[in-house]
Amino acid sequence: MKEVLFMTVAVVGVGYTDFRSTTPDVSFKEQMFEAAAKAYQDAGVHPRKDIGSFITGAEDYWEGYSIFDEFVPDQLGATLRPVCTISGDGLQALLTGAMQVKTGLMDVVAVESHSAASDLLSFHGIVSHGLDPVYNRNMNVNPFFVAGLEMRKYLSETKASREQCARVVTKNKLNAMDNPLAAYPAVMSIEEVMKSEMVSNPLTRRDISPLADGAIVMVLASEKKAKELSENPIWLKGMSWISETPWLESRDWSDATYARLSSEKAFKMADITNPQKQLDLVEVDDWFSYKELQHLEAIGVCEKGQAGKLLEQGQFDRDGDTPVNVSGGRLGAGNLLEASSLQSVLECVIQLRGHAGKRQIKGAHTAAAQSWRGVPTATGSMLVLSNEK
Amino acid sequence: MSFDKNTNPLKLHHLVGDMEADYIYTPGVAGDKFFKALRDDEKFLATHCESCNHTYMPPRMYCERCFSKLDKWVEAESTGVVDTYSLAHEDRDGEKLAEPVIVAFIRIDKTDGGIIHQLGGVDHESVKIGMKVKAVLKDKSKRTGGLNDIDHFAPA
């Protein structure tokens, strides 16, 4: 029993589509099939005989299907097998898959998450529906006002500048230039971000990550199976996820407490005592520009109020001390809704395998992927990965 | 602009589906008492957890900190402090508003919580974090027993 619980689970296969602003030529099911087929080939497994369980991270409202669970088995090769959908992001689905492997009941588990955002005609309405109907839906404003409120508080508390937030956008879009999967690479000026139209002051259009379509599948395996299947398994060293109160009125507003607590737990599991020194790269959630700075401080890469300055000094650039969102993040690779957290994990896996090409972080050994579920949630996860067990 | 790509699926081959989803929402025992006191007596009621020394605004029937049932009601003030604010330029569908709206989180005095609402009687440029504000209620005949019985918060 103990042996099972304390074994290390590994990622042994990844598959993905590229990320695009629209996908008029393929359905979401065809995207999932493409990602799954590539992941199974990468792992050297066949879904009809080798995979014990299949998990998708998805929300009915994003998908436009009631009981979305019913719409996933066929394109994953999962009919007549254990299948479930986690009503959460892709990283929560992955952590659930890791726990299933740790039960010892299955050696190999497939995890999927995707975005068909371009199929969604009422994006703002669906986000508004996430607000408390009795206390928070009374105002007829873009639900991203919650991010506007939080950004103002963050800037006020930390003395970070508006320009520093804009620099997050330019950095991540520039990073995306070397990620062939990315939907929104650009050489963008800070001025372009600053002068873009105001959505919920101080939040502008370019501070908000643009939506994209795409699918990602990962194959997880037990320690024993991973060594059989793979020459370069990427080990899941530490993981945790936290939900704060859903009440906006009970929140602290200045801290990303979910990110702080989930990373403390995951880092303890992974023996990370100094994240700035021990992590070779970090992918953090950047749904909104300021969120990257807030998350870096919350997970302890730097002190509160320092992220903006360190960003300006180039510490978070690809060639800096702690490269952040080398993939481009949501801002550059595209906002894949629930799948963006798996995009973060994907970047870590590609980097730790040494397969990142032009954007490869030399000697990358340990990486972290942090997620946030977006407005109006205060839910987030942390995963530490390493290419050494 | 060159930075933008087509994200409008209606320009491409498609079928349209409409997911009809209408609901009613129950304010619950705590919400019912809160909204009736606001509508009829112009009072802001909160619940208090004695073991955590924490006062909930909006009121709740349970404490999220110690998980105890709450039945101690206290009267809070109709005043508070702007904790943070934003000037919203778009409506809930993402369309441009004719007039932007100042939205704020107001920490209500004598509680550990607050209310999210709009500010009035003040320019966006003059709003400051820490500014004292007061609830301005709608005329009694126009109240419906919801959060919009507060018309807005104005500088106190």
Side-chain angles (χ1 to χ4, degrees), chain A residues 254-308:
Chain A
S254 65
D255 281 316
T257 309
Y258 55 90
R260 179 169 56 80
L261 295 178
S262 56
S263 57
E264 277 171 9
K265 288 192 176 187
F267 289 170
K268 193 173 175 194
M269 264 178 95
D271 292 324
I272 302 285
T273 51
N274 184 339
Q276 194 268 326
K277 275 208 173 127
Q278 290 172 270
L279 298 174
D280 301 312
L281 70 138
V282 179
E283 294 275 312
V284 298
D285 192 281
D286 61 339
W287 189 310
F288 305 104
S289 60
Y290 73 94
K291 277 306 223 183
E292 176 170 310
L293 302 177
Q294 186 195 40
H295 285 147
L296 287 171
E297 292 167 3
I299 70 173
V301 164
C302 61
E303 297 287 318
K304 188 170 176 179
Q306 296 302 305

Side-chain angles (χ1 to χ4, degrees), chain A residues 179-220:
Chain A
N179 181 356
L181 303 176
Y184 295 96
V187 181
M188 190 180 274
S189 68
I190 286 175
E191 193 196 2
E192 164 70 27
V193 181
M194 304 270 290
K195 74 168 176 37
S196 66
E197 66 182 323
M198 207 50 96
V199 174
S200 199
N201 191 322
L203 192 75
T204 69
R205 178 77 58 221
R206 302 277 183 221
D207 287 307
I208 303 169
S209 53
L211 298 174
D213 297 348
I216 300 168
V217 172
M218 296 202 175
V219 180
L220 306 180

Side-chain angles (χ1 to χ4, degrees), chain B residues 9-144:
Chain B
L10 297 176
K11 288 182 182 166
L12 307 162
H13 181 75
H14 63 274
L15 303 172
V16 176
D18 183 16
M19 183 155 68
E20 197 172 305
D22 299 322
Y23 300 85
I24 60 163
Y25 296 99
T26 308
V29 176
D32 200 54
K33 191 162 174 169
F34 173 73
F35 286 120
K36 282 178 177 163
L38 183 66
R39 181 189 66 193
D40 301 336
D41 306 321
E42 310 194 347
K43 283 183 177 166
F44 283 73
L45 296 187
T47 52
H48 181 72
C49 177
E50 287 187 329
S51 57
C52 298
N53 192 26
H54 194 87
T55 303
Y56 286 93
M57 170 61 70
R60 269 181 263 175
M61 294 305 286
Y62 44 82
C63 178
E64 68 174 38
R65 298 180 170 217
C66 69
F67 202 60
S68 60
K69 192 175 174 184
L70 301 182
D71 51 17
K72 188 181 178 195
W73 286 79
V74 294
E75 190 179 338
E77 302 290 335
S78 64
T79 55
V81 168
V82 173
D83 190 67
T84 181
Y85 65 98
S86 176
L87 186 67
H89 289 258
E90 294 180 355
D91 70 13
R92 60 167 285 163
D93 298 318
E95 302 295 329
K96 199 139 190 94
L97 283 164
E99 280 296 321
V101 175
I102 311 171
V103 181
F105 173 53
I106 297 133
R107 290 205 179 272
I108 297 293
D109 292 338
K110 293 192 179 168
T111 75
D112 295 294
I115 288 177
I116 291 173
H117 219 293
Q118 50 184 308
L119 298 183
V122 61
D123 290 339
H124 173 246
E125 290 71 29
S126 310
V127 181
K128 295 274 178 293
I129 287 176
M131 185 175 179
K132 289 189 190 312
V133 290
K134 185 175 178 27
V136 177
L137 300 189
K138 281 204 173 109
D139 187 77
K140 203 158 188 171
S141 64
K142 289 182 181 158
R143 292 179 201 159
T144 58

Side-chain angles (χ1 to χ4, degrees), chain A residues 70-307:
Chain A
E70 292 295 303
F71 292 85
V72 299
D74 53 331
Q75 66 272 32
L76 293 178
T79 53
L80 307 176
R81 312 294 282 279
V83 181
C84 74
T85 294
I86 297 295
S87 177
D89 69 28
L91 186 44
Q92 287 172 309
L94 186 140
L95 302 183
T96 305
M99 288 191 293
Q100 285 194 357
V101 174
K102 277 177 179 259
T103 65
L105 294 173
M106 42 272 280
D107 287 335
V108 182
V109 170
V111 177
E112 188 274 350
S113 196
H114 62 273
S115 161
S118 75
D119 290 346
L120 192 55
L121 300 183
S122 354
F123 175 77
H124 290 95
I126 286 168
V127 179
S128 288
H129 233 59
L131 294 168
D132 183 280
V134 179
Y135 295 102
N136 300 144
R137 277 191 217 164
N138 54 311
M139 281 165 300
N140 177 32
V141 297
N142 185 326
F144 285 169
F145 81 83
V146 177
L149 291 176
E150 193 183 50
M151 183 175 180
R152 172 95 59 200
K153 185 79 173 181
Y154 175 77
L155 295 179
S156 163
E157 292 258 314
T158 60
K159 308 299 172 207
S161 69
R162 183 63 200 79
E163 289 80 355
Q164 288 166 346
C165 296
R167 190 174 286 270
V168 172
V169 181
T170 61
K171 170 182 71 73
N172 291 358
K173 284 187 174 292
L174 189 65
N175 281 346
M177 293 289 283
D178 286 327
N179 181 356
L181 303 176
Y184 295 96
V187 181
M188 190 180 274
S189 68
I190 286 175
E191 193 196 2
E192 164 70 27
V193 181
M194 304 270 290
K195 74 168 176 37
S196 66
E197 66 182 323
M198 207 50 96
V199 174
S200 199
N201 191 322
L203 192 75
T204 69
R205 178 77 58 221
R206 302 277 183 221
D207 287 307
I208 303 169
S209 53
L211 298 174
D213 297 348
I216 300 168
V217 172
M218 296 202 175
V219 180
L220 306 180
S222 65
E223 195 167 322
K224 185 165 170 281
K225 195 76 182 174
K227 286 174 182 166
E228 285 171 28
L229 285 171
S230 179
E231 284 172 6
N232 54 0
I234 303 301
W235 303 98
L236 309 183
K237 303 290 285 182
M239 57 188 82
S240 183
W241 68 103
I242 297 266
S243 285
E244 288 183 52
T245 180
W247 289 77
L248 297 178
E249 295 86 350
S250 288
R251 288 200 195 144
D252 164 82
W253 283 97
S254 65
D255 281 316
T257 309
Y258 55 90
R260 179 169 56 80
L261 295 178
S262 56
S263 57
E264 277 171 9
K265 288 192 176 187
F267 289 170
K268 193 173 175 194
M269 264 178 95
D271 292 324
I272 302 285
T273 51
N274 184 339
Q276 194 268 326
K277 275 208 173 127
Q278 290 172 270
L279 298 174
D280 301 312
L281 70 138
V282 179
E283 294 275 312
V284 298
D285 192 281
D286 61 339
W287 189 310
F288 305 104
S289 60
Y290 73 94
K291 277 306 223 183
E292 176 170 310
L293 302 177
Q294 186 195 40
H295 285 147
L296 287 171
E297 292 167 3
I299 70 173
V301 164
C302 61
E303 297 287 318
K304 188 170 176 179
Q306 296 302 305

